[in-house]
Amino acid sequence: MLVEANGLRLEALVDEPPGGCAAHVLLIMGLGGQLIHWPPALVQALVNAGLGVIRLDNRDAGLSTHLDHLGKPNLGWIATRAWLGARPRVPYTLTDMANDALGVLDALGVARAHVVGLSMGAMIAQRVALAAPQRVLSLTSIMGASGARGLLKPKARVMRAAASKPLDTRRPGGDEALARYYLRFLSAISSPTFPPTEAELRAMFAETQRRRSPDSVATQRQLAAIVADGARAAELGSIRVPTLVIHGREDPWVPLPCGEDTARRIPGARLAVIDDMAHDLAPVGHPELVRRVLAELLPFLAAHQPAAG
């Protein structure tokens, strides 16, 4: 369903147990990701635990509003300004995206929720907890980072894969070239122990293309918001909501020190390191990796349910 939130139209999907739920979980996806990219087994496990699950397409992703009028950001200039400690001008910020998430809760009539973010979504979730702690039952940051300078150092092979994106997919064969790029990149960030098959990746890419059409310029606007949010690291110490930080030991895109740093900065946060997991819970999460994440997530959420009544 499309809901009006923060001046935008945002696509949201709600799954609830048949008998109703005592609390909701808001799932916030990562860079360029969409609500269909959450592993179905993870969503179903949350519903089976008696939780209502809210997924959304972030702005500039999926079926939500794409802000094409904001154009293509100059990522090199934004990164340079951010590195120098300046506040670069960007099309929008992670705080704006956090306000989108809060607006979805408002539109759905949900006063408080567990907030779970993945990768960029983890950074947005941190911003939600900073902006409106009274709305957050708990915070779970999966594969995220604090925004601190010098920590986010992807492996060279992943950077090479990321840089190989075709510039013009409108030419003949452009769809196949884009598909090959996504297969290369997703394979590069996937678990070496539990890699997805090419058939699984192609099926997800085809579904994304058929229904939701990925937008590479929109993804660059999201990336600009990440790069410009370096001040968040110093603010995380003010978070007081219960926090779980989940990170893959083999993550080559947002390496494990990023998760360790996030957990150190948030008072009382618990770090759960998942063996064999890279940066690949979505869009095709291997059942064993999903099981390992749920083994940490479900007890944490259960421990921080709202009091009855």
Side-chain angles (χ1 to χ4, degrees):
M1 75 181 89
L2 280 170
V3 301
E4 299 285 340
N6 201 21
L8 304 173
R9 290 170 62 82
L10 300 172
E11 178 71 6
L13 183 62
V14 182
D15 296 279
E16 292 187 337
C21 60
H24 286 84
V25 181
L26 176 65
L27 301 181
I28 307 177
M29 183 42 71
L31 179 68
Q34 303 176 22
L35 63 82
I36 61 172
H37 293 154
W38 286 99
L42 184 142
V43 174
Q44 190 59 53
L46 294 172
V47 172
N48 291 346
L51 296 162
V53 179
I54 302 168
R55 290 174 281 168
L56 76 149
D57 284 336
N58 292 311
R59 62 169 66 191
D60 262 337
L63 302 181
S64 290
T65 298
H66 285 232
L67 301 168
D68 300 327
H69 64 283
L70 297 179
K72 181 179 179 180
N74 185 333
L75 290 171
W77 175 245
I78 291 168
T80 300
R81 295 279 292 168
W83 180 255
L84 293 173
R87 181 174 294 179
R89 293 184 62 183
V90 290
Y92 48 78
T93 66
L94 290 186
T95 298
D96 293 326
M97 300 181 80
N99 288 332
D100 293 346
L102 290 165
V104 169
L105 294 182
D106 290 340
L108 297 174
V110 176
R112 301 177 73 200
H114 300 285
V115 181
V116 177
L118 179 74
S119 194
M120 178 188 74
M123 304 173 202
I124 297 170
Q126 294 166 20
R127 278 289 174 200
V128 171
L130 287 166
Q134 74 282 5
R135 307 291 301 275
V136 180
L137 291 168
S138 71
L139 166 65
T140 302
S141 177
I142 305 175
M143 304 177 190
S146 68
R149 287 193 297 176
L151 274 175
L152 191 58
K153 296 178 179 177
K155 301 292 186 184
R157 61 181 174 79
V158 180
M159 291 297 292
R160 288 194 296 270
S164 68
K165 192 168 189 176
L167 297 177
D168 187 357
T169 59
R170 294 170 297 181
R171 297 177 180 177
D175 283 351
E176 176 57 25
L178 189 61
R180 287 197 300 269
Y181 161 75
Y182 277 109
L183 264 62
R184 283 195 303 273
F185 178 70
L186 293 174
S187 296
I189 64 174
S190 292
S191 166
T193 306
F194 301 108
T197 67
E198 179 174 335
E200 289 172 328
L201 292 175
R202 281 191 175 274
M204 176 53 70
F205 178 77
E207 178 69 1
T208 304
Q209 281 283 77
R210 184 176 68 82
R211 294 176 51 198
R212 291 164 161 263
S213 188
D215 183 339
S216 58
V217 174
T219 300
Q220 291 184 51
R221 290 191 289 268
Q222 291 183 346
L223 183 57
I226 295 172
V227 172
D229 200 42
R232 190 178 74 259
E235 299 173 34
L236 294 183
S238 66
I239 291 179
R240 293 296 183 269
V241 302
T243 300
L244 173 64
V245 177
I246 297 176
H247 217 97
R249 192 178 298 280
E250 307 299 329
D251 195 327
W253 184 237
V254 182
L256 178 56
C258 295
E260 295 170 333
D261 172 72
T262 301
R264 279 195 301 266
R265 289 176 182 272
I266 300 176
R270 183 171 73 83
L271 174 65
V273 179
I274 307 298
D275 289 335
D276 301 315
M277 188 169 82
H279 201 79
D280 57 345
L281 191 61
V284 182
H286 189 280
E288 175 58 21
L289 297 179
V290 173
R291 186 195 68 77
R292 294 181 189 184
V293 168
L294 286 169
E296 301 290 345
L297 180 59
L298 289 175
F300 173 73
L301 297 180
H304 299 290
Q305 286 288 75

